[in-house]
Amino acid sequence: DVKVTQSSRYLVKRTGEKVFLECVQDMDHENMFWYRQDPGLGLRLIYFSYDVKMKEKGDIPEGYSVSREKKERFSLILESASTNQTSMYLCASSLNRVHGYTFGSGTRLTVV
Amino acid sequence: SQQGEEDPQALSIQEGENATMNCSYKTSINNLQWYRQNSGRGLVHLILIRSNEREKHSGRLRVTLDTSKKSSSLLITASRAADTASYFCATDAASGSRLTFGEGTQLTVNP
């Protein structure tokens, strides 16, 4: 089975800190995604990537950046964390458009 | 933008009953997918139905798709307490390049 691993289940960071959320998948998937999930707002796409060193903005990219230096790793970066970035962050990967996404377990980030 | 919208937002049933959740969407799609999320965890892919399919089964799950009404339903038969979770539909829009998720239906199955 494909496994998507997010490096932390829970994180607490201070306002203004630079935060790195790491995601690794082990099945050679081309596509990787970062979502955030908030009550009442569902899942919103932050960034996605279809290949190494490639990235595309999702619906809410402001305040975030990403890095994909290797195929298996897709990192989400909060340049200067703010309290409104407190959320559950979910990473996903997929083989192609006719396959479902495999999600990691999520990282619950609290910015204080 | 939110493409899929689930209905109802919350559903509470007794063990052994069937649970039906609905999803409506706005634009043409390549496929529609259903996911499950246990509290505080990531989503798990359940089933994918392509735009040229009308019905699909997987174990106790039955999914229907009506592209003329832009709607889908997920039926869980003979529900169990372990089915308690949030269920999301996600659409792969024909004009897009990624999935868009609805806000989910919270299903509670009481023992």
Side-chain angles (χ1 to χ4, degrees):
Chain A
D1 282 349
V2 178
K3 193 168 181 182
V4 176
T5 303
Q6 293 184 234
S7 53
S8 304
R9 286 295 317 279
Y10 300 95
L11 272 181
V12 180
K13 296 292 182 180
R14 295 196 179 277
T15 301
E17 275 193 77
K18 190 168 186 175
V19 181
F20 293 85
L21 302 183
E22 304 288 346
C23 176
V24 178
Q25 51 95 2
D26 65 0
M27 280 297 288
D28 206 34
H29 281 179
E30 300 288 339
N31 311 320
M32 297 188 76
F33 309 84
W34 274 106
Y35 288 86
R36 64 176 282 178
Q37 184 178 25
D38 301 286
L41 295 175
L43 275 78
R44 293 179 291 168
L45 182 64
I46 306 170
Y47 267 98
F48 59 106
S49 169
Y50 287 148
D51 202 352
V52 176
K53 296 192 187 294
M54 175 272 177
K55 60 186 177 184
E56 286 197 39
K57 293 180 180 179
D59 299 319
I60 52 163
E62 295 78 19
Y64 303 93
S65 63
V66 290
S67 172
R68 193 160 181 206
E69 295 296 318
K70 293 185 178 180
K71 192 175 187 179
E72 66 269 20
R73 186 180 296 269
F74 192 36
S75 303
L76 180 69
I77 304 155
L78 285 66
E79 297 292 343
S80 177
S82 64
T83 55
N84 63 11
Q85 292 178 310
T86 291
S87 187
M88 169 71 100
Y89 289 88
L90 294 165
C91 175
S93 73
S94 74
L95 181 61
N96 55 43
R97 290 183 73 173
V98 296
H99 288 81
Y101 288 11
T102 300
F103 280 84
S105 296
T107 295
R108 187 165 294 281
L109 173 67
T110 302
V111 182
V112 297
Chain B
S1 60
Q2 294 295 331
Q3 164 76 311
E5 293 184 7
E6 290 91 343
D7 170 57
Q9 288 189 330
L11 179 62
S12 181
I13 60 174
Q14 296 300 123
E15 228 172 7
E17 293 181 342
N18 295 342
T20 299
M21 289 159 270
N22 303 297
C23 172
S24 60
Y25 58 92
K26 297 186 176 77
T27 62
S28 296
I29 59 171
N30 291 317
N31 64 67
L32 184 145
Q33 304 177 27
W34 285 91
Y35 289 78
R36 163 198 170 120
Q37 183 181 36
N38 285 28
S39 180
R41 308 295 296 188
L43 281 70
V44 175
H45 180 254
L46 295 176
I47 197 164
L48 181 153
I49 185 164
R50 299 174 198 246
S51 60
N52 61 353
E53 297 176 310
R54 292 296 166 257
E55 189 171 310
K56 205 160 181 181
H57 296 254
S58 176
R60 293 184 297 113
L61 305 181
R62 173 178 168 250
V63 169
T64 61
L65 179 65
D66 186 336
T67 53
S68 67
K69 294 181 180 177
K70 292 187 168 59
S71 67
S72 173
S73 67
L74 171 67
L75 169 67
I76 304 174
T77 60
S79 62
R80 305 165 182 168
D83 293 329
T84 293
S86 292
Y87 292 82
F88 294 85
C89 71
T91 50
D92 180 4
S95 60
S97 54
R98 74 285 176 96
L99 291 183
T100 303
F101 289 80
E103 292 182 26
T105 292
Q106 172 61 50
L107 172 67
T108 302
V109 181
N110 302 297

